[in-house]
Amino acid sequence: MKIFVSVKMVPDVSAPMLVKNGELIMDADRTVLNAYDASAVEEALVLKEAYAGEVVVVSVGPAKAAETLRKAMAMGADSAVHITTENMEEELLFDSYSYARILAVYYKDQYYDALFFGKQSQDTDAGLTGSMVAEILDIPYVSNAINITREEDDKFVITRQTDNNQEIIKTSSSCLITCSNNMNEPRIPSLKGIIASKKKRLQKINLRDLHINERDYKPQTKLIEYKTLPSRKAGEKLEDDAEKTSKMLAEFLYQKNIFQ
Amino acid sequence: MILSHLLTIHKDGINRASAEILARCRELKNHLLKNSINTELHAIICNSNVSLWNSSKLSNELGIYGVDKIWITKKGNICDQNKALIKYIASAQKEATKKYNIPSLLVMESNELVKDILGGLAIHINASVISDVIKFGFSDNNFTPRKDKSLYIRATRPVMTSKALADVKVIDKQIIISLRPGSYNLPDVNDLETVPKKVEIEYMNDRLHSPNNKISLKNQIKQVINATEDFIDLNEARIIVAAGRGIKDQNGKTLIANLAEVLNAGIAASRALTQSGIYDSSVLVGQSGKVVSPQLYLAVGISGSVQHISGILNSKMIIAINKDKNAPIFDIADYGIVGDLNKVIPILIDEIKKIKSK
Ligand SMILES: Cc1cc2nc3c(=O)[nH]c(=O)nc-3n(C[C@H](O)[C@H](O)[C@H](O)COP(=O)(O)OP(=O)(O)OC[C@H]3O[C@@H](n4cnc5c(N)ncnc54)[C@H](O)[C@@H]3O)c2cc1C
């Protein structure tokens, strides 16, 4: 069984940040493996451990993205593919559409049982890339998976979270699955894993060598500016014994017409 | 141009998010009409419970929003197969725009149903897409379709776990947007069409969107697990009581259930509790769960992590109960109680009962 997991390097959203003159200022060095992708890697590794197979992680990004791929290999992925965008200014402007077009060109020529994606990325929360790739490749897909098992050698049984319930879906191989972070706790790489990852194969492919026209991955969306969130002011805060505060809260709710 | 919206119909009407979206679309439509730009508002219905809604009910419910045309299927529910839903919407959009060869803007609610298909649909119909926005419109001085018949749409969306907003633009002939519920106010009935116009209803040729056999055989639903039987839909709830790690265990869960009952509220949970299995992941609110927009969000024993807060910012009012007076949730709460929830909630329930019985 061969699973490719697409992973993305994202800015660490827990880092302090600031919006100034329409720009977002944050520490460019603080980057992490997107949490949802980490869950996708974890799930691929669990399946590999149960049913044997190979897990390959793939990322489109600048030189630094290699760190993200090493991290995924330290978790246990067998090898990595880095589609590099070095010295490409437009890389900074890529949107989900750009990533989807580029990844689809790479996956088109690969053999796979499944392509795993995180369901969204922590920085933009757009959540589009997975289903875009599935549509471009014309393969079945299941999104927002919270559990994946293998059946009869060529099928996956996937539980997905919907708006109000869960669905169990059966899909044949050569499918695409986007993973929720509610399906597992991604393992922390062990020291042994980290050392082993250094010897694992990391293939570099320059985006320019991938057979794709620049206009085919031209971003659809353009950033105009960043803004600060309209602030929600902290209101009244009661600190007193429970008897008093509860009464006041009930009264407050009544005043605000909450009971109907 | 064509403005359209994908909606599901229920026994009692359309859902709140759809009403918000249709009202916003109607506003844009009227604006365009005033500027002599021929515009129609269409509704694409994907779960035609035709038995519940006859054509006059459809016409009445949607006519007040100025809807000109409804696309509907005789097939019943087609929402449960992503590829089929994509094809269905695509053929409605194609039919709608073919006639006039004009640009289109499709606005959908940002929920799991839509998240499932959004990217795929955009590729399928060759549209540009902006997901999960809280505001959208035509660019100020350029709201008219341009010479090449493309539109310029500007939208605002939360990024970086809702620590910042990004304004983005797309220019294209076909554009799709998904909108967070609660981003626009529910319309006042007096502002809507008093005499609903007659809405044209078009049944789709269901052959056009039946999934090709290759795909449908590959992708089958085996089972649907209804996590919560008797529940108040969090997307619709006026009031939500949300439980965090502070409630600890089943006893705490019972307290929350009792409070929700007197308030007639829906119940949500933070990730701490969906991870530990105390609540089902269907009720998770936040970055990786639902974005909610109730009149009141009552957070109990929730610290207020950025990931949780990012799902509740569209709430009209936030109230927090937490024993730690420095908990970040208080920074965004309109009203807060510092105290032990095990003491506060039972008294609160009694007080609410007292007031209600008066
Ligand atoms: C990628 C990613 C996505 C995430 N997505 C989400 C998401 O969608 N939703 C989400 O909720 N989280 C999400 N998280 C997790 C998030 O970071 C927090 O870990 C989580 O929200 C914490 O939940 P909590 O507030 O219930 O628990 P805690 O942070 O542990 O807070 C518990 C609070 O309860 C209070 N308390 C304890 N006992 C009492 C008592 N007796 N009376 C009153 N108060 C009491 C404490 O003072 C404390 O403030 C995500 C994390 C990541 C990395």
Side-chain angles (χ1 to χ4, degrees), chain A:
Chain A
M1 179 181 48
K2 188 165 186 181
I3 301 175
F4 284 93
V5 188
S6 307
V7 299
K8 188 181 176 193
M9 176 184 80
V10 295
D12 180 358
V13 289
S14 65
M17 56 188 86
L18 177 79
V19 177
K20 212 171 146 187
N21 301 329
E23 285 187 40
L24 186 67
I25 302 165
M26 57 194 301
D27 188 347
D29 279 343
R30 282 183 66 173
T31 56
V32 294
L33 164 61
N34 176 36
Y36 302 91
D37 301 345
S39 284
V41 172
E42 174 64 33
E43 202 64 15
L45 294 175
V46 170
L47 286 169
K48 179 192 150 174
E49 283 152 14
Y51 306 100
E54 185 187 355
V55 174
V56 184
V57 286
V58 182
S59 190
V60 180
K64 199 167 186 289
E67 289 169 21
T68 304
L69 290 166
R70 287 275 174 224
K71 157 119 197 244
M73 287 195 288
M75 285 172 73
D78 298 290
S79 62
V81 176
H82 184 181
I83 300 169
T84 60
T85 53
E86 265 147 277
N87 309 321
M88 294 181 65
E89 256 174 56
E90 61 269 42
E91 194 275 330
L92 292 170
L93 307 170
F94 280 179
D95 62 0
S96 314
Y97 178 80
S98 313
Y99 289 116
R101 284 287 176 196
I102 294 166
L103 287 166
V105 166
Y106 175 75
Y107 288 133
K108 184 171 58 71
D109 299 326
Q110 306 299 320
Y111 165 80
Y112 51 84
D113 288 280
L115 304 176
F116 283 11
F117 281 72
K119 70 162 173 160
Q120 66 201 55
S121 82
Q122 275 174 290
D123 51 350
T124 66
D125 284 336
L128 297 167
T129 310
S131 66
M132 282 182 162
V133 171
E135 186 64 32
I136 297 169
L137 297 176
D138 195 21
I139 54 174
Y141 72 95
V142 175
S143 70
N144 208 7
I146 55 171
N147 189 48
I148 304 173
T149 55
R150 188 96 170 129
E151 203 180 273
E152 297 162 32
D153 251 27
D154 66 341
K155 291 184 182 62
F156 291 95
V157 177
I158 302 140
T159 309
R160 70 176 294 265
Q161 181 67 51
T162 73
D163 281 298
N164 293 320
N165 53 37
Q166 284 135 19
E167 289 168 355
I168 300 178
I169 298 177
K170 193 166 169 173
T171 295
S172 334
S173 281
S174 305
C175 61
L176 187 148
I177 302 172
T178 78
C179 300
S180 162
N181 57 339
N182 293 325
M183 65 156 92
N184 54 40
E185 277 303 327
R187 65 195 70 183
I188 313 278
S190 64
L191 190 60
K192 215 173 116 201
I194 294 170
I195 293 167
S197 75
K198 304 224 157 91
K199 297 208 190 80
K200 288 181 178 169
R201 178 171 143 85
L202 194 161
Q203 184 193 0
K204 275 189 193 225
I205 304 174
N206 195 302
L207 177 54
R208 294 184 211 282
D209 298 329
L210 210 59
H211 296 285
I212 181 169
N213 262 321
E214 219 167 290
R215 64 164 192 282
D216 290 336
Y217 60 83
K218 199 169 145 256
Q220 296 179 326
T221 47
K222 288 210 177 58
L223 178 75
I224 302 172
E225 59 173 350
Y226 286 104
K227 297 190 295 203
T228 47
L229 236 59
S231 61
R232 274 194 99 103
K233 282 199 197 66
E236 201 176 347
K237 190 158 76 179
L238 304 177
E239 272 180 84
D240 208 325
D241 69 272
E243 203 70 53
K244 270 194 203 141
T245 53
S246 310
K247 259 198 190 125
M248 287 171 78
L249 176 54
E251 190 56 36
F252 178 83
L253 294 176
Y254 175 68
Q255 299 293 344
K256 294 283 176 189
N257 261 326
I258 288 297
F259 311 137
Q260 277 188 344

Side-chain angles (χ1 to χ4, degrees), chain A residues 13 34-36 119-122 125 181-182, chain B residues 161 243-248 269-275 284-290 297 299-311 321-330 337-345:
Chain A
V13 289
N34 176 36
Y36 302 91
K119 70 162 173 160
Q120 66 201 55
S121 82
Q122 275 174 290
D125 284 336
N181 57 339
N182 293 325
Chain B
T161 331
R245 198 190 315 270
I247 73 142
K248 286 211 173 62
S270 75
R271 186 147 184 265
L273 296 182
T274 54
Q275 286 293 87
L284 172 66
V285 163
Q287 186 189 20
S288 44
K290 277 188 195 338
Y297 190 84
V300 185
I302 289 179
S303 63
S305 64
V306 283
Q307 292 89 356
H308 188 81
I309 288 177
S310 102
I321 301 174
N322 196 304
K323 69 176 181 190
D324 172 10
K325 69 170 192 289
N326 296 318
I329 188 81
F330 286 124
I337 290 191
V338 182
D340 184 343
L341 65 93
N342 296 303
K343 292 194 186 125
V344 173
I345 293 184

Side-chain angles (χ1 to χ4, degrees), chain B residues 56-264:
Chain B
S56 72
K57 172 147 177 160
L58 271 173
S59 207
N60 286 337
E61 292 275 341
L62 296 173
I64 52 170
Y65 296 97
V67 168
D68 299 287
K69 186 162 184 167
I70 295 169
W71 300 90
I72 197 163
T73 164
K74 286 201 164 114
K75 249 190 175 170
N77 193 346
I78 56 142
C79 307
D80 53 8
Q81 217 281 346
N82 50 22
K83 294 263 173 175
L85 184 55
I86 287 176
K87 280 197 168 178
Y88 176 66
I89 302 171
S91 39
Q93 284 291 94
K94 195 167 161 195
E95 288 297 308
T97 49
K98 186 170 73 184
K99 196 159 131 205
Y100 312 96
N101 181 26
I102 42 175
S104 73
L105 172 66
L106 168 63
V107 187
M108 303 195 274
E109 176 190 349
S110 189
N111 57 18
E112 290 303 340
L113 175 77
V114 166
K115 285 177 187 177
D116 187 30
I117 57 156
L118 195 55
L121 176 64
I123 295 289
H124 196 93
I125 67 172
N126 206 7
S128 293
V129 56
I130 315 178
S131 63
D132 215 27
V133 311
I134 56 169
K135 216 174 124 190
F136 70 96
F138 301 101
S139 80
D140 299 338
N141 40 19
N142 218 349
F143 66 87
T144 56
R146 297 136 58 95
K147 276 212 189 66
D148 67 352
K149 300 219 165 101
S150 60
L151 300 167
Y152 178 154
I153 296 288
R154 179 177 177 141
T156 304
R157 56 191 311 278
V159 293
M160 303 292 165
T161 331
S162 301
K163 281 176 159 180
L165 296 175
D167 264 16
V168 295
K169 66 168 183 184
V170 293
I171 298 176
D172 207 337
K173 287 179 195 157
Q174 293 202 74
I175 296 174
I176 311 175
I177 276 178
S178 71
L179 182 75
R180 282 193 174 193
S183 300
Y184 288 95
N185 286 333
L186 262 187
D188 190 284
V189 273
N190 300 320
D191 291 341
L192 294 173
E193 313 279 326
T194 36
V195 188
K197 54 172 299 195
K198 201 167 155 20
V199 185
E200 194 189 335
I201 299 175
E202 182 145 338
Y203 285 91
M204 300 280 297
N205 179 348
D206 284 320
R207 270 208 325 270
L208 291 177
H209 55 84
S210 48
N212 61 39
N213 280 341
K214 193 177 106 208
I215 297 276
S216 58
L217 287 175
K218 275 191 170 174
N219 208 352
Q220 319 168 305
I221 298 218
K222 285 176 59 182
Q223 198 188 340
V224 176
I225 307 170
N226 272 58
T228 29
E229 284 287 304
D230 177 29
F231 70 106
I232 296 179
D233 187 348
L234 294 177
N235 297 335
E236 297 282 311
R238 236 184 106 249
I239 305 174
I240 292 177
V241 174
R245 198 190 315 270
I247 73 142
K248 286 211 173 62
D249 50 22
Q250 288 297 328
N251 288 342
K253 192 174 171 179
T254 309
L255 270 183
I256 293 291
N258 294 343
L259 179 59
E261 197 185 336
V262 290
L263 286 171
N264 196 20

